Amino acid sequence: NKHLLKGLEEKALIISVDASLRILIEMGVKPHLVTSLERVEPTVRLFDGFSQEQVEDVYLAACPVVLPEMYEIYPGPRIIVYRNFDHFRWLGVDKGILEIKQSAGNMAFKLAEAMGCNPIILIGQDLAYARDGRTHALGTTFGENQELGPDGQLEVMGNDGEPIMTNNTWNSFRKAYEIDIAGYQGRCINCTEGGAYINGTEVMTFQEAIDRYINDTFHPLTVIKDSIKDFSTDSIQKDIESVSHIIETTKNNLIRMKEYCQTAFDLIKENHSHLQAIIDNPGPISEDFDL
C-alpha cells in the first residue's frame, strides 16, 4: 500500500523511519521527516549515497546520540530531537524533550503527537515475521531476510485476527506503541495491512483511511519551516558557549573527584595492615588513624 502515499505530501505529515527512507525516495515520495535514534554504524549506512536534491526538504529528525558520521553524510536539513535522557537535561539547552521509547517507529509516533497530528496512521509497522518467514520488506538496505541473532520468538495476534510470529525485540516495540497510544488523546489507525496487532489501534486499509481522514490541504513542510524560523546563528553560538562551559566545569569536577579518590586509595593502602587487623579482630578502635 505504500504507493498510495504519492500525492499526499500536502495533505498529511509523512514521517519515515530511517530504514524506510531509501524505499520512499526511490519510489518518488519525499517524507517531511525521517527519524533515527540508534548509535551504531549500520544505521549510518541507511543514509549513505543520497544526493542533496533527493533529500531536499526531508528533515533528519535524529536523537543526537547517533554517530557523528550520520550528520556528516546526510546532505539534507536536520532537526535535533531530544529523548528523555538525563544528559540532555544536563546540557541545559531546553528546546523540548520527548518521551521516546525503543524504536525509530516509536520515535515517529511521539514526534507526530508533539506536532498535533490526529489521527496518527501507521504504515509498515508489521513488528512480526511475514508468514513466509521474511524479516523485512523488499528493497530495504540490508535485504528482506536479515539475520536477527538469538532473539526468542513468540506468537501474538495478527491484524487479520490470526496468530503470527514475532520476536522479543519487535514485541517490545509493539508494547511501547501500546503504552504511547494509551496516553495519546487522539485516534491511532494501523494501516499496515498485515503484521502484529497493536492494542488501542483501529485496523483498516490505507485507502479507507485516506478516504476518511486525508482530505484537506495544509502544507506540512511550511508548518515545519515556520516552527524553526526563529532559530538563528546567534542562538547557536550562545548554546555552544553554554554547553562548552558546562562540559569544562564538569571535566574539572571529574579531575577533582579523581584526585580525592586517589587520596583515599593511598590512605587505605598506607593503613592496610591496621585495617586488616580490625577486620580480623573486630572491636572498639583504640587509636586514631593518621589522616
Side-chain angles (χ1 to χ4, degrees):
N1 57 17
K2 61 184 184 295
H3 65 283
L4 296 174
L5 286 165
K6 190 64 179 174
L8 300 181
E9 293 88 346
E10 302 298 335
K11 296 181 178 181
L13 174 69
I14 302 174
I15 306 178
S16 170
V17 299
D18 44 19
S20 298
L21 179 62
R22 195 173 306 278
I23 294 175
L24 294 178
I25 294 298
E26 289 178 352
M27 60 182 279
V29 173
K30 279 190 175 182
H32 304 105
L33 298 160
V34 53
T35 57
S36 189
L37 48 70
E38 293 291 348
R39 59 198 81 183
V40 293
E41 187 275 336
T43 306
V44 176
R45 290 168 57 193
L46 298 174
F47 295 93
D48 192 23
F50 289 113
S51 68
Q52 186 171 357
E53 181 181 5
Q54 283 180 307
V55 292
E56 182 183 11
D57 291 331
V58 179
Y59 284 82
L60 171 58
C63 182
V65 296
V66 298
L67 296 181
E69 290 83 356
M70 182 181 295
Y71 293 109
E72 293 170 6
I73 68 171
Y74 187 72
R78 303 89 176 264
I79 294 176
I80 293 295
V81 181
Y82 282 161
R83 202 174 183 181
N84 191 11
F85 288 160
D86 283 342
H87 51 261
F88 292 136
R89 299 184 185 279
W90 165 72
L91 292 174
V93 181
D94 183 9
K95 299 187 187 301
I97 291 178
L98 297 180
E99 193 66 47
I100 297 167
K101 296 182 175 62
Q102 285 94 326
S103 74
N106 298 142
M107 181 179 183
F109 182 94
K110 295 303 290 186
L111 198 56
E113 179 185 26
M115 295 184 69
C117 296
N118 184 19
I120 294 175
I121 300 173
L122 306 179
I123 307 172
Q125 287 299 291
D126 303 74
L127 307 178
Y129 296 92
R131 289 205 165 90
D132 62 7
R134 287 179 296 115
T135 61
H136 291 77
L138 181 66
T140 52
T141 300
F142 299 111
E144 57 186 297
N145 288 292
Q146 298 179 25
E147 178 59 52
L148 302 178
D151 194 357
Q153 295 190 18
L154 65 154
E155 187 178 85
V156 295
M157 184 59 65
N159 282 318
D160 59 3
E162 299 294 329
I164 196 167
M165 296 304 297
T166 184
N167 60 47
N168 290 327
T169 298
W170 292 339
N171 199 47
S172 71
F173 300 164
R174 185 176 71 92
K175 292 295 185 182
Y177 271 122
E178 292 177 350
I179 294 171
D180 286 340
I181 291 169
Y184 171 53
Q185 298 303 308
R187 170 176 287 165
C188 183
I189 301 167
N190 194 346
C191 297
T192 299
E193 300 183 35
Y197 176 67
I198 301 171
N199 286 307
T201 62
E202 300 176 46
V203 177
M204 65 179 70
T205 67
F206 189 31
Q207 185 61 63
E208 185 180 0
I210 292 171
D211 294 341
R212 287 192 189 184
Y213 301 109
I214 305 180
N215 300 300
D216 299 329
T217 299
F218 68 97
H219 306 294
L221 188 59
T222 301
V223 174
I224 294 172
K225 290 183 176 181
D226 285 345
S227 71
I228 60 176
K229 65 182 180 181
D230 293 333
F231 293 107
S232 66
T233 53
D234 291 338
S235 66
I236 291 172
Q237 187 59 39
K238 182 180 178 182
D239 289 343
I240 290 173
E241 292 173 358
S242 174
V243 170
S244 297
H245 175 72
I246 291 172
I247 291 174
E248 187 64 27
T249 300
T250 302
K251 184 176 74 173
N252 292 333
N253 288 338
L254 289 172
I255 291 172
R256 289 174 59 198
M257 289 174 61
K258 179 182 177 182
E259 292 172 349
Y260 290 150
C261 289
Q262 186 62 53
T263 299
F265 178 79
D266 292 341
L267 286 168
I268 292 170
K269 187 176 180 180
E270 181 182 340
N271 293 278
H272 177 265
S273 59
H274 188 51
L275 289 167
Q276 188 63 52
I278 293 173
I279 293 171
D280 294 339
N281 299 287
I285 300 176
S286 60
E287 58 183 274
D288 295 328
F289 289 101
D290 182 15
L291 302 179

